[in-house]
Structure formats: structure tokens, C-alpha cells
Amino acid sequence: TFDHLPMAILVVFQVVTLEGWVDIMYPLQDAYEGPTLLVSLYFCFVVVFGAFFLVNVALAVVYEAFTDLQDQLGLKRSYFDEASDFGGSGIADLVPESIQDA
């Protein structure tokens, strides 16, 4: 499956999205003539780095762009800002005193 670049990119994308990645790993383990531990380590690395780290980075970039757009349009309104509308001083009223002292 890694013979052609477009197919290899599709396979890596499938592994990163966690859709049927074990269906790719098992035949690759059978085809690899060396120790299958290397294949397992490769897939574990791709899953951990790709699925968990890169997806969170992409979400952080989207969130940052969204908050910048809200700031530009003057629509920034968060849950913590609303807490001060009810006579409180914002986030300090939402955090228990035992945690504030720590």
C-alpha cells in the first residue's frame, strides 16, 4: 500500500483518522519480513502523534482564528464575562475558595 505516493497519503490519512487502521496494520505486519515490532511501533507513533497531537493542534488553530474573528467583530462574549453580569466579579466567583488559596 505504500508503493505509490497518493495511496500512501491516503493510508496515512486513514490511520490518523483512526478509521480501520488495524485493517492496514495487520497485512503490513504479514508482508514485512523483519520483526513485526517495528511495524507496530510505527503505527503506534502515527496514531499518537497524528491522531491525538496534530488533530488537537488543528483544533487550536481553528479556535484561535475564531476568537480573533470574534474580537475583530466585537462579538467576544464568554461564560466568564456573563458571570460578572449577575453581581459577581467574574471567574473568581466561580472558583471555590479552597482552590483560590492554593
Side-chain angles (χ1 to χ4, degrees):
T1 57
F2 289 99
D3 291 339
H4 305 287
L5 184 63
M7 190 63 178
I9 291 172
L10 181 65
V11 167
V12 171
F13 177 76
Q14 184 175 356
V15 172
V16 167
T17 58
L18 300 177
E19 288 294 322
W21 66 276
V22 292
D23 297 332
I24 297 170
M25 183 180 72
Y26 292 142
L28 193 59
Q29 283 179 334
D30 293 339
Y32 188 66
E33 295 177 4
T36 58
L37 179 65
L38 294 175
V39 175
S40 300
L41 288 175
Y42 169 76
F43 277 92
C44 288
F45 174 76
V46 170
V47 165
V48 169
F49 185 74
F52 301 130
F53 181 72
L54 290 180
V55 170
N56 284 328
V57 168
L59 288 175
V61 168
V62 169
Y63 176 75
E64 184 69 27
F66 179 71
T67 56
D68 288 345
L69 183 61
Q70 278 184 329
D71 288 341
Q72 289 174 359
L73 297 176
L75 300 174
K76 183 87 170 155
R77 186 87 177 150
S78 71
Y79 173 76
F80 300 115
D81 294 335
E82 292 173 7
S84 63
D85 291 344
F86 297 109
S89 61
I91 192 169
D93 292 339
L94 301 174
V95 178
E97 290 180 18
S98 60
I99 297 176
Q100 288 179 6
D101 297 335

